[in-house]
Amino acid sequence: MEVVNAIGRRKAAVARVYVSEGKGNIIINKKRSVEEYFTLPTLQYIVKQPLELLGVSGQYDIKVNLDGGGFKGQAEALRLGIARALVEINAENKSQLKAAGFLTRDPREVERKKPGQPKARKRFQFSKR
């Protein structure tokens, strides 16, 4: 099996995922493991969800380029990228991953700040006199 690549996005985070056959190692930005990069157990759980669902956590080595956003957004972008790569490897996995919601790109983005206002929707205090 050759290397399968996929991309996952969430908020401002972008995860480029490269999946190949291996022992289950996940390397982020060429040098760090998942446990080292995502110190919170909840974020580690989010990243490994598609692998655990299909029961293939020890079969693939995953190399990831992560860029932009915060830790939570990066973890969710990585989850989407891994799920997309697993579908590319075996199309029969698609229904399981889709039912769990791992193939849906969360479209919510930060709303831009408007001129003449302190934030996107907040207005300066109105003064009648």
Side-chain angles (χ1 to χ4, degrees), residues 8 12 16 19 27 34 36 44 60 64 67 71 78 86-89 92 97 99 104-105 109-110 112 115 118:
R16 291 175 198 81
V19 178
I27 305 297
V34 178
E36 203 180 328
Q44 294 170 21
Y60 299 110
V64 187
D67 188 44
F71 285 124
L78 181 49
L86 290 171
V87 167
E88 211 169 300
I89 289 167
E92 293 168 15
L97 290 167
T104 307
R105 159 55 160 115
E109 296 279 338
V110 176
R112 78 177 189 89

Side-chain angles (χ1 to χ4, degrees), residues 2-123:
E2 72 282 351
V3 176
V4 175
N5 62 330
I7 198 160
R9 290 189 182 91
R10 170 77 170 97
K11 290 184 169 182
V14 180
R16 291 175 198 81
V17 179
Y18 304 93
V19 178
S20 58
E21 280 184 8
K23 297 180 178 73
N25 301 325
I26 302 175
I27 305 297
I28 299 173
N29 294 342
K30 296 186 179 176
K31 58 182 175 274
R32 295 167 75 181
S33 67
V34 178
E35 289 78 18
E36 203 180 328
Y37 193 86
F38 295 112
T39 53
L40 295 174
T42 51
L43 298 179
Q44 294 170 21
Y45 171 74
I46 286 171
V47 168
K48 294 174 182 173
Q49 272 181 313
L51 299 166
E52 298 293 331
L53 178 74
L54 299 174
V56 294
S57 51
Q59 294 178 21
Y60 299 110
D61 279 349
I62 301 172
K63 288 190 174 85
V64 187
N65 277 348
L66 264 177
D67 188 44
F71 285 124
K72 174 91 169 165
Q74 285 185 349
E76 292 182 7
L78 181 49
R79 177 175 70 185
L80 176 61
I82 290 171
R84 284 178 172 174
L86 290 171
V87 167
E88 211 169 300
I89 289 167
N90 186 358
E92 293 168 15
N93 297 334
K94 187 172 181 178
S95 58
Q96 255 186 306
L97 290 167
K98 196 170 176 73
F102 299 150
L103 293 176
T104 307
R105 159 55 160 115
D106 193 337
R108 295 175 293 176
E109 296 279 338
V110 176
E111 191 174 334
R112 78 177 189 89
K113 185 195 167 297
K114 318 298 187 305
Q117 298 176 16
K119 290 164 84 174
R121 299 198 174 189
K122 189 178 184 181
R123 306 287 199 266

